[in-house]
Amino acid sequence: MKRGSRLDELFTLLFMILAVGVVVCFFVLGSNNPTYLILGGIAVLLRVAQYIMRFF
């Protein structure tokens, strides 16, 4: 995957949406609800997959 390609931009957009969702879930649902941890984990895995696809 090249930097700036459509797939790269899509991964970045999905990461940003998930990151905003994590912040919203943390403040709306509170820290007792693990939903923000799940969304955060998915966001991090998506970003790592993006970097792996970019360099290999």
Side-chain angles (χ1 to χ4, degrees):
M1 171 187 340
K2 286 182 154 181
R3 177 174 278 199
S5 68
R6 300 284 277 177
L7 188 59
D8 187 52
E9 290 179 4
L10 178 66
F11 272 52
T12 302
L13 179 67
L14 287 173
F15 172 76
M16 293 297 176
I17 290 171
L18 284 170
V20 169
V22 168
V23 173
V24 168
C25 283
F26 180 77
F27 286 112
V28 170
L29 300 176
S31 62
N32 293 335
N33 194 337
T35 305
Y36 72 95
L37 291 174
I38 295 168
L39 287 178
I42 293 170
V44 169
L45 289 176
L46 183 69
R47 186 58 113 186
V48 169
Q50 179 184 10
Y51 283 127
I52 288 172
M53 288 172 43
R54 190 182 288 171
F55 292 115
F56 294 109

